[in-house]
Amino acid sequence: MQQSVQPAMTVEVVELDPVELRQLEEERARAEADRQARVDALGKSLYGELETRKTLRTELEREWLRAEYAYNDQYHPDELKRIVGTQVYASLTRSKVDTFVAHTCDMLMPNADEEFWGIEASPRPILAQTANDQAPIGQTPEGAQVQMGDLSKGIADVAKERAKNMELLCEDQMAQCYLNAEYRKGIAWMYRYGTFIMRGPMKAPAQRRSWQQIQGAVYKLTYEESKDPCFEAVNPFHFYPDPAIRKITHRSGTFELFFFTESQLRRMAKAGFDAEAIKSVLGKTGGRRMPPQWYTDLSLVTRDRNMQESATKGLYEGWLYIGDITGDQLRDLMPDEDIDPELDSVNVTLWGIGDAVIKAERTVLDTDDVLYSVYPLIESESSLFGHGIPWAGKDAQESYCAYWRMLIDNGAASAIPSVALLKSRLRPADGSYDYAPGKVWYVTTPEDDSPGETDVRKVIQYIDVPVKIQELMVGLQTAKAMFDESVNFSLVMQGETGPYTPETASATNTHYNAGRVVLNRTIKGIDDHITVPNFRRLIDWNMMLSEDETVKGDLSPIAKGSSVLMARAEQMQLMNAGAPLFLDPNNGYIYDRDKFLEIYAKNMRLSEILRPEDERKKMKGQAQQQQPPADPAKMAMVEVAKGRLQLDAKIHDDEMQMDAQRIVADAQSSGLTAEEIRQRLGLEHKKVGLAAQKIDSENARFNAEAAMKMRQGSGI
């Protein structure tokens, strides 16, 4: 066969004129300069917006600073100016905040055996409607008929399996980013400042260290950006949403502040951030910008001047912006990416230092969901942020401190009396008129008085101050009770007892649960506003990025904090009350004893003592094999005895009915009224009831003895 000859391909090399080459390079430089100018303008615009939001939030920051002072048992500097006398602080705020935090974390995350969240399949309604449909739709290869219900059940089973796989994947991801620790941190900030804020999922900003082998035994330390999804709690001080919005779901750009050291920025330059932009920031004179005023004021809480000075030195203020920009702006930020400049709005994640953008990327999720979840503890109608425990108990805390100061001042004044003296007639031996124990005074005598006639009581008098300790203690206790009322706090939650405490264990538990009603509401709020939105976004993340097809499906997150974990105490009460009934061997055909004991152990947080399921099944099978079979003759005797008891009960009922009829006939012939007849019948019915109870008791005793003797192998 003749082969066709392909013509040789020739490439024509065009040499540019040096002048044209220089012009081309100049055009590229101008285009790059224009692009960089637009990027700088965007950075300045965003940073200007952040500065504006800072100025609009000073009142909230003042409230949070006062909360920080109260939590750290200190007076705000403005309060100290008004205090005369002792400045001792009597704290209620710290103990209440810590108690609320501890109870909430214990209710939401009681142990590591059970997560406070889950993933469930969400099959379409048509599957539920056709679950029992017996309409034939085909046959198996073996010829068996396949019905619509079989298909629906199969789809539902696959959906449940995928939900389980997704839950395992999410559980591993959340363990990597220490989700429980972030929740505890966010809950502590919520009770202190009033708002629980979580960000995610997004790639963790922290760099992951790894050692790469270069040659032989030579390794090099490298930093790379994490690719795993991450959730983080956000301090309200650092969070700057649009001040006009009231719900975080109202889409708007959000800022979050970070404070980096120079070494942190250098590591970030090696882990995917714009190295040139970071180098430019580090090289600028005065590149370190002054942190916000609240950042400096927080150092005053510790009264550490060294910390106050270091708080403003050596730090670079960084920010994270998550929001929308145009396609043109994103193309300027990411010139190497294929981006449609006609896009009106693109959701992006931007990192900046001052007015310089150091990293830009499109938001991973295509759902356009806001990557923040926010829950206000005490909701405010005028702000996205809420109020915390220090805000709610502010007046009561001030009253408590005022009574405590008065109590100490009164005790000191009554213990050390005031002194009134004629300064012209008395001279202290030590030269000081200040009070001191055992002080010596010299009395001067006027010329018209003889030395022996001077009355010292006329020149010095001690003034006793009335003791008001009891009255002040009443005010102190009233202020404490007012604080508890202000924050809806139950003293039983803190372990305190008193005349109000119930005497019985069950009543105490009921009283304790009633005191946790406020906490139950808070847990439900965390479920609805934090947990469910977080895991809905995490499911979307894995649906988009996971390569494992077995985790993908129609899935929904569920929060178990309010529905399962909070019902644990109530369930324990019911299980304790019903244990004799559930564990009775005679009721084994109704109740699953093994399941009861398993749930009971989990509620007691003793899951580690449970045997593995396969071992339990093996031991149960061995016990059944070792149990001797029932003797047919004895079983027949039991049935005969039961029949005899039933016959006796029937005869007794007939006799009682005949007696009642006889009583009615005798009463009517005697001319008794209807009311008198009913009274006689009532007495007879009581006799019948007592007799019936006696028969039931005998039946129950017979059944128990029969069961015991059958197990022991003896006769009846």
Side-chain angles (χ1 to χ4, degrees):
M1 185 174 67
Q2 186 177 3
Q3 296 181 348
S4 60
V5 179
Q6 299 291 338
M9 181 178 293
T10 59
V11 179
E12 183 178 359
V13 179
V14 179
E15 295 184 1
L16 294 178
D17 183 82
V19 176
E20 294 178 350
L21 184 60
R22 186 170 59 254
Q23 291 177 347
L24 181 60
E25 292 176 351
E26 290 175 354
E27 289 178 2
R28 289 177 178 173
R30 283 195 299 270
E32 178 61 23
D34 292 342
R35 184 193 69 82
Q36 190 59 47
R38 291 192 295 271
V39 171
D40 293 342
L42 176 61
K44 291 179 180 178
S45 174
L46 291 174
Y47 190 69
E49 174 64 21
L50 174 59
E51 291 294 309
T52 301
R53 296 186 184 185
K54 290 179 182 179
T55 61
L56 296 175
R57 213 185 63 175
T58 54
E59 190 62 33
L60 269 173
E61 292 171 0
R62 193 174 294 115
E63 176 188 321
W64 298 341
L65 281 170
R66 287 184 177 274
E68 191 67 21
Y69 273 99
Y71 182 78
N72 285 276
D73 305 339
Q74 295 183 25
Y75 291 105
H76 190 274
D78 295 341
E79 294 176 303
L80 284 176
K81 297 176 183 178
R82 303 192 302 267
I83 296 176
V84 178
T86 182
Q87 295 182 350
V88 65
Y89 193 95
S91 177
L92 292 173
T93 303
R94 176 190 286 272
S95 62
K96 305 306 182 191
V97 168
D98 289 348
T99 302
F100 270 111
V101 171
H103 275 278
T104 302
C105 292
D106 183 66
M107 293 170 67
L108 192 64
M109 300 167 286
N111 51 45
D113 295 335
E114 187 174 5
E115 300 291 349
F116 59 92
W117 54 270
I119 309 294
E120 67 176 2
S122 301
R124 294 178 176 83
I126 189 173
L127 294 181
Q129 296 173 5
T130 59
N132 297 320
D133 192 345
Q134 299 181 0
I137 59 173
Q139 291 183 341
T140 64
E142 292 77 14
Q145 187 184 73
V146 178
Q147 300 176 350
M148 176 61 74
D150 299 330
L151 178 61
S152 300
K153 184 177 182 303
I155 296 175
D157 291 342
V158 172
K160 291 179 181 179
E161 183 66 24
R162 296 198 172 197
K164 182 178 180 181
N165 294 338
M166 174 68 81
E167 187 171 309
L168 292 174
L169 175 61
C170 293
E171 184 176 345
D172 179 66
Q173 292 170 336
M174 293 303 93
Q176 295 296 324
C177 72
Y178 304 103
L179 180 70
N180 287 9
E182 294 298 320
Y183 260 73
R184 284 189 287 269
K185 192 189 304 180
I187 289 171
W189 284 331
M190 176 188 69
Y191 279 112
R192 198 181 305 183
Y193 305 132
T195 312
F196 189 174
I197 308 170
M198 290 283 288
R199 168 177 36 81
M202 58 184 300
K203 288 181 287 187
Q207 293 80 43
R208 176 181 295 176
R209 298 194 316 169
S210 62
W211 290 90
Q212 294 184 354
Q213 185 177 14
I214 299 178
Q215 184 178 4
V218 180
Y219 287 80
K220 179 183 178 181
L221 178 63
T222 61
Y223 293 90
E224 61 180 8
E225 189 178 17
S226 175
K227 303 296 183 182
D228 297 327
C230 179
F231 287 91
E232 291 188 23
V234 179
N235 190 322
F237 273 110
H238 294 241
F239 188 55
Y240 291 87
D242 186 343
I245 66 173
R246 295 296 174 266
K247 293 184 178 180
I248 195 63
T249 52
H250 298 164
R251 284 189 56 82
S252 182
T254 57
F255 289 91
E256 186 180 343
L257 285 189
F258 298 86
F259 300 97
F260 301 115
T261 62
E262 184 173 327
S263 61
Q264 285 178 305
L265 289 179
R266 295 189 184 280
R267 287 199 300 269
M268 290 165 65
K270 300 177 182 179
F273 291 80
D274 190 336
E276 293 299 324
I278 292 177
K279 188 183 300 183
S280 175
V281 170
L282 294 176
K284 287 181 180 178
T285 304
R288 298 183 179 93
R289 296 182 178 271
M290 187 69 69
Q293 184 62 39
W294 60 260
Y295 192 88
T296 306
D297 291 341
L298 280 176
S299 62
L300 292 173
V301 179
T302 62
R303 299 181 180 178
D304 186 345
R305 287 291 171 185
N306 294 327
M307 179 179 176
Q308 181 186 0
E309 294 176 0
S310 64
T312 60
K313 294 182 179 180
L315 291 178
Y316 292 83
E317 183 186 81
W319 47 267
L320 167 66
Y321 172 79
I322 301 178
D324 294 339
I325 62 174
T326 65
D328 279 332
Q329 292 172 325
L330 184 59
R331 189 173 63 171
D332 290 336
L333 291 168
M334 305 171 65
D336 298 332
E337 300 290 334
D338 185 15
I339 297 170
D340 185 1
E342 301 297 327
L343 292 173
D344 295 330
S345 177
V346 183
N347 196 247
V348 297
T349 300
L350 303 181
W351 291 85
I353 301 290
D355 55 9
V357 179
I358 62 173
K359 187 176 182 180
E361 59 184 357
R362 299 186 67 163
T363 305
V364 175
L365 297 181
D366 292 337
T367 58
D368 285 341
D369 286 341
V370 180
L371 295 186
Y372 288 92
S373 300
V374 177
Y375 172 63
L377 179 64
I378 302 175
E379 195 169 356
S380 171
E381 293 297 330
S382 61
S383 174
L384 175 71
F385 296 95
H387 303 291
I389 297 298
W391 175 87
K394 174 179 176 296
D395 293 338
Q397 175 67 80
E398 290 182 358
S399 300
Y400 191 77
C401 287
Y403 275 111
W404 185 248
R405 292 196 308 270
M406 287 188 289
L407 192 149
I408 292 179
D409 289 340
N410 180 256
S414 60
I416 304 175
S418 300
V419 180
L421 54 85
L422 290 174
K423 198 171 182 179
S424 60
R425 302 288 302 275
L426 287 176
R427 180 170 56 86
D430 58 358
S432 173
Y433 282 91
D434 295 337
Y435 174 84
K439 194 175 185 68
V440 177
W441 301 87
Y442 296 132
V443 182
T444 60
T445 305
E447 295 180 357
D448 55 347
D449 288 350
S450 60
E453 296 179 355
T454 301
D455 189 354
V456 178
R457 291 175 297 178
K458 295 181 179 180
V459 296
I460 184 170
Q461 290 288 336
Y462 291 93
I463 303 173
D464 290 329
V465 176
V467 179
K468 300 291 185 180
I469 301 297
Q470 294 299 326
E471 293 85 345
L472 293 174
M473 284 296 297
V474 173
L476 197 69
Q477 294 300 324
T478 302
K480 184 178 180 181
M482 186 171 67
F483 189 100
D484 294 333
E485 288 291 333
S486 300
V487 300
N488 291 321
F489 186 81
S490 171
L491 295 179
V492 181
M493 289 168 47
Q494 195 170 327
E496 296 186 19
T497 58
Y500 52 82
T501 307
E503 297 181 359
T504 63
S506 59
T508 301
N509 200 20
T510 302
H511 189 61
Y512 177 77
N513 290 335
R516 292 171 64 144
V517 170
V518 177
L519 288 179
N520 295 351
R521 174 183 174 274
T522 302
I523 296 292
K524 182 61 177 175
I526 294 174
D527 285 347
D528 295 340
H529 295 87
I530 302 293
T531 303
V532 170
N534 280 353
F535 281 91
R536 183 179 294 116
R537 296 194 296 269
L538 182 59
I539 291 173
D540 293 336
W541 173 290
N542 288 324
M543 290 292 292
M544 289 180 58
L545 303 179
S546 177
E547 298 179 356
D548 186 358
E549 292 297 326
T550 64
V551 304
K552 300 186 178 182
D554 190 6
L555 309 174
S556 297
I558 55 174
K560 299 188 290 186
S562 58
S563 61
V564 176
L565 303 180
M566 284 168 39
R568 193 181 303 274
E570 182 179 355
Q571 189 181 51
M572 283 296 296
Q573 285 185 11
L574 298 175
M575 295 183 77
N576 286 329
L581 180 66
F582 300 140
L583 298 178
D584 188 345
N586 296 323
N587 299 329
Y589 66 97
I590 301 177
Y591 306 111
D592 188 339
R593 295 177 58 195
D594 295 342
K595 192 66 176 179
F596 174 87
L597 294 173
E598 182 179 350
I599 296 176
Y600 194 87
K602 287 183 178 180
N603 286 346
M604 293 286 289
R605 302 182 186 180
L606 296 174
S607 299
E608 62 273 10
I609 69 173
L610 291 174
R611 296 182 184 274
E613 187 174 357
D614 54 349
E615 184 176 345
R616 277 183 274 165
K617 290 182 178 179
K618 182 179 179 181
M619 295 180 65
K620 187 175 181 179
Q622 292 175 351
Q624 291 176 348
Q625 292 177 1
Q626 295 174 359
Q627 184 175 359
D631 189 349
K634 293 179 180 179
M635 291 297 295
M637 293 174 65
V638 170
E639 293 300 326
V640 171
K642 283 184 177 181
R644 188 190 315 140
L645 287 174
Q646 292 175 358
L647 180 59
D648 291 343
K650 180 67 170 58
I651 294 173
H652 182 271
D653 291 342
D654 293 341
E655 291 177 350
M656 292 298 104
Q657 186 175 3
M658 293 175 62
D659 289 342
Q661 293 174 357
R662 178 178 51 77
I663 291 172
V664 173
D666 293 345
Q668 289 176 348
S669 62
S670 302
L672 297 178
T673 63
E675 181 63 28
E676 291 174 336
I677 293 175
R678 280 195 294 270
Q679 291 178 359
R680 288 197 178 187
L681 286 176
L683 294 174
E684 192 65 25
H685 287 165
K686 288 183 180 179
K687 295 180 181 179
V688 172
L690 293 174
Q693 290 179 6
K694 182 178 179 181
I695 292 175
D696 292 340
S697 176
E698 292 178 355
N699 285 337
R701 181 171 58 83
F702 174 82
N703 291 334
E705 292 177 354
M708 179 64 70
K709 291 180 179 180
M710 289 299 297
R711 287 195 297 269
Q712 295 176 352
S714 60
I716 298 178

